[in-house]
Amino acid sequence: MGFNDEPMIRTKKYSEEKYKMKKAKSYGVAKKIIIMSELAAIFGKNALVSLGLFLLLCLGTGAMPYVLGGEFDFNADTFSLRGGLFIMLSVIFLILYMIFGFWYAIEYKRLEIMCIHLDGELEGAAEVNDAMGKVAAGVPTNFSSISGPEGLAQNYLMKNKVKTDNFIIIIMILKAINTVLVLGQIITAILCLIIWMHKY
């Protein structure tokens, strides 16, 4: 039995109208899984970028007196310019990553249960659940052949020929937001360094 399998959940019999309604709802859940996955990835990546910029600014400004000579302002008032701002951003992004990652996992299980009720199973879910169980148990696992919950949701939509034109635009917008956030952080770090250097 795979990780988090639902042995007590069985396929339900619905009227044709209710089946179509439930099926349409499952498509919405599948789309939500993909969006939650993208958001979690955005905030996770930006948390790492913030942490990296914090370390770079701390180490870089700490080395300034030895590289350039002269006296620099290392008071508590300038800590935010020397990286403090980015450690705060890192914490914020990490919290958002955990929120959307948790929501993503919940929606995946919800879709799996809905598919069991409707058609019997979500194709590929058993393999993903088994892999997740191995990871939880500390067993080395090769994920190269497993698409993960987001991939299962995408395959589910494709298999049922659900139109995703507008949805693809949303995903592209989210990817653009990720790029803007990363570039914004890098530009902000450069400005912080310039402002701090003019304070000494």
Side-chain angles (χ1 to χ4, degrees):
M1 185 178 295
F3 176 71
N4 260 356
D5 277 348
E6 307 292 348
M8 300 304 294
I9 300 174
R10 296 288 182 266
T11 303
K12 292 184 177 181
K13 292 184 178 179
Y14 295 108
S15 64
E16 186 177 350
E17 183 180 348
K18 192 168 185 180
Y19 175 85
K20 288 180 179 179
M21 184 182 70
K22 292 278 187 181
K23 196 72 174 175
K25 192 173 182 180
S26 73
Y27 299 151
V29 174
K31 291 178 181 179
K32 193 182 294 184
I33 288 171
I34 299 170
I35 291 174
M36 293 303 106
S37 174
E38 290 293 332
L39 286 169
I42 286 171
F43 293 125
K45 290 173 185 175
N46 278 276
L48 291 174
V49 170
S50 297
L51 184 60
L53 290 172
F54 165 71
L55 294 172
L56 281 174
L57 281 173
C58 281
L59 294 173
T61 54
M64 285 291 187
Y66 304 100
V67 176
L68 300 178
E71 294 182 0
F72 289 82
D73 187 358
F74 287 98
N75 294 326
D77 295 339
T78 62
F79 177 67
S80 61
L81 296 174
R82 292 182 287 111
L85 171 65
F86 293 96
I87 197 65
M88 289 187 289
L89 282 175
S90 180
V91 171
I92 292 170
F93 284 131
L94 183 60
I95 291 171
L96 290 171
Y97 166 75
M98 292 173 67
I99 290 171
F100 286 103
F102 187 63
W103 194 354
Y104 165 63
I106 290 174
E107 291 299 325
Y108 165 62
K109 293 309 295 182
R110 184 181 171 203
L111 177 63
E112 188 179 358
I113 292 170
M114 289 178 78
C115 288
I116 292 172
H117 284 167
L118 289 166
D119 306 309
E121 65 174 332
L122 175 62
E123 188 175 337
E127 291 80 1
V128 171
N129 291 340
D130 187 53
M132 291 168 65
K134 289 179 180 178
V135 170
V139 178
T141 306
N142 181 13
F143 283 96
S144 59
S145 61
I146 300 174
S147 57
E150 181 182 5
L152 294 185
Q154 291 174 341
N155 292 337
Y156 179 66
L157 293 173
M158 290 174 61
K159 182 180 177 181
N160 289 279
K161 299 178 181 179
V162 178
K163 292 183 178 180
T164 56
D165 295 343
N166 294 334
F167 185 66
I168 290 172
I169 293 173
I170 294 173
I171 298 300
M172 290 174 65
I173 290 171
L174 289 176
K175 290 184 182 298
I177 289 172
N178 178 59
T179 302
V180 169
L181 285 173
V182 171
L183 291 176
Q185 287 195 80
I186 293 171
I187 292 170
T188 302
I190 293 171
L191 291 174
C192 285
L193 184 60
I194 292 171
I195 294 169
W196 176 75
M197 288 181 68
H198 282 285
K199 280 181 172 288
Y200 78 89

